């Protein structure tokens, strides 16, 4: 069964600093998709970044980048130049077929 | 382009009642998925519909059901409500099925069962 593990329930980072959120997953498939979603207090889930497993190049979206290690089944999210608006719950997710499997989430606090 | 719309936003129901939640996907999207979010269990997949057909179902009892209409709008129904059904129910729409495309989420329906 596919599982997604986020080992850091909460993290804090100083504004303008860099923070890395960890995620590991378990699957026997070779072709799949990985995502990081952000859920601010408004509860709306927002896609931050997407990685296709067959692509070796790490995805990047402005201040957000991932470190995808397929053999290690690791998919961490790096947020550079942290901003107050980055404060939210972050979910790592794995997608195969018709469903998305989410980790338990990491609550990120931004310290001014 | 309008986003995913879920109605109602908040709902309070009594144990034993039934409830219907609605989701209107982004125009042109044919896949709609439903998720239950609780503090204890996190986000759990309920089911996914594509072109009016249920393609996948999560591990939930038969009290949870859904359907999709020809205009891609989807409803989910929960019968004989239990206290444990209190949760945020999120709907997500995608252009394609198969989990390959990014899913766009609505703001959710907060269901409280008393």
């Amino acid at each position: 069964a596919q599982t997604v593990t986020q080992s850091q329930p909460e993290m804090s980072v100083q504004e303008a600093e860099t923070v890395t959120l960890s995620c590991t997953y378990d699957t026997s498939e070779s072709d799949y998709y990985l995502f990081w979603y952000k859920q601010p207090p408004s509860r709306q889930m927002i896609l931050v970044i997407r990685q296709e497993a067959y692509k070796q190049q790490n995805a990047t979206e402005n201040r957000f980048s991932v470190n995808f290690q397929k053999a290690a089944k690791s998919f961490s999210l790096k947020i550079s130049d942290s901003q107050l608006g980055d404060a939210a719950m972050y979910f790592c997710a794995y997608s195969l077929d018709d469903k998305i499997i989410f980790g338990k989430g990491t609550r990120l606090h931004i310290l001014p | 382009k309008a986003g995913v719309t879920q109605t109602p936003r908040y709902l309070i129901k009594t144990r034993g009642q039934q409830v219907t939640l609605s989701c209107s996907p982004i125009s042109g999207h044919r896949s709609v998925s439903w998720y239950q979010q609780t503090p204890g269990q996190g986000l759990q997949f309920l089911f996914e519909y594509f072109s009016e057909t249920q393609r996948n179902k999560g591990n939930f009892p038969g009290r949870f059901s859904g359907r999709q209409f020809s205009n891609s709008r989807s409803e989910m129904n929960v019968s004989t409500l239990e206290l444990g059904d209190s949760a945020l129910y999120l709907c997500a729409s995608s252009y394609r099925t198969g989990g390959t495309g990014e899913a766009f989420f609505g703001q959710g329906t907060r269901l409280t069962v008393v």
Side-chain angles (χ1 to χ4, degrees), chain B residues 12-113:
Chain B
I12 300 175
K13 288 286 188 178
T14 305
R15 266 186 308 176
Q17 287 187 311
Q18 75 165 18
V19 67
T20 299
L21 312 182
S22 179
C23 173
S24 294
I26 291 171
S27 178
H29 285 193
R30 294 162 64 192
S31 170
V32 174
S33 302
W34 289 89
Y35 296 83
Q36 181 196 64
Q37 185 176 21
T38 59
Q41 299 297 317
L43 279 147
Q44 292 187 286
F45 172 78
L46 280 156
F47 28 65
E48 192 248 359
Y49 287 87
F50 183 81
S51 294
E52 301 179 66
T53 301
Q54 186 181 89
R55 289 180 50 88
N56 207 339
K57 191 177 191 304
N59 189 25
F60 278 83
R63 300 185 298 106
F64 291 81
S65 63
R67 60 178 175 169
Q68 188 179 33
F69 302 95
S70 58
N71 62 358
S72 294
R73 189 177 71 85
S74 177
E75 288 181 347
M76 69 162 278
N77 184 75
V78 188
S79 61
T80 320
L81 283 165
E82 300 177 0
L83 295 179
D85 297 333
S86 294
L88 180 70
Y89 289 87
L90 291 167
C91 160
S93 80
S94 300
Y95 176 72
R96 294 173 290 178
T97 187
T100 57
E102 56 197 75
F104 294 86
F105 284 80
Q107 290 188 287
T109 294
R110 168 76 67 186
L111 171 66
T112 302
V113 182

Side-chain angles (χ1 to χ4, degrees), chain A residues 33 35 37 39 42-45 47 50 91 95-100 102-104, chain B residues 35 37 40-41 43 45 48 55 88 97-103 105-107 110:
Chain A
Y33 293 79
F35 307 88
Y37 280 91
Q39 188 178 41
S42 68
R43 309 299 285 180
Q44 175 119 38
M45 295 283 282
L47 178 67
R50 180 178 82 149
F91 293 94
S95 174
L96 179 68
D97 295 330
D98 310 314
K99 63 181 178 182
I100 302 174
F102 291 89
K104 295 288 189 184
Chain B
Y35 296 83
Q37 185 176 21
Q41 299 297 317
L43 279 147
F45 172 78
E48 192 248 359
R55 289 180 50 88
L88 180 70
T97 187
T100 57
E102 56 197 75
F105 284 80
Q107 290 188 287
R110 168 76 67 186

Side-chain angles (χ1 to χ4, degrees), chain A residues 19-47:
Chain A
V19 63
T20 298
L21 309 183
S22 302
C23 173
T24 58
Y25 59 95
D26 186 26
T27 183
S28 56
E29 303 293 332
S30 59
D31 195 14
Y32 48 87
Y33 293 79
L34 295 163
F35 307 88
W36 278 97
Y37 280 91
K38 168 185 175 181
Q39 188 178 41
S42 68
R43 309 299 285 180
Q44 175 119 38
M45 295 283 282
I46 301 164
L47 178 67

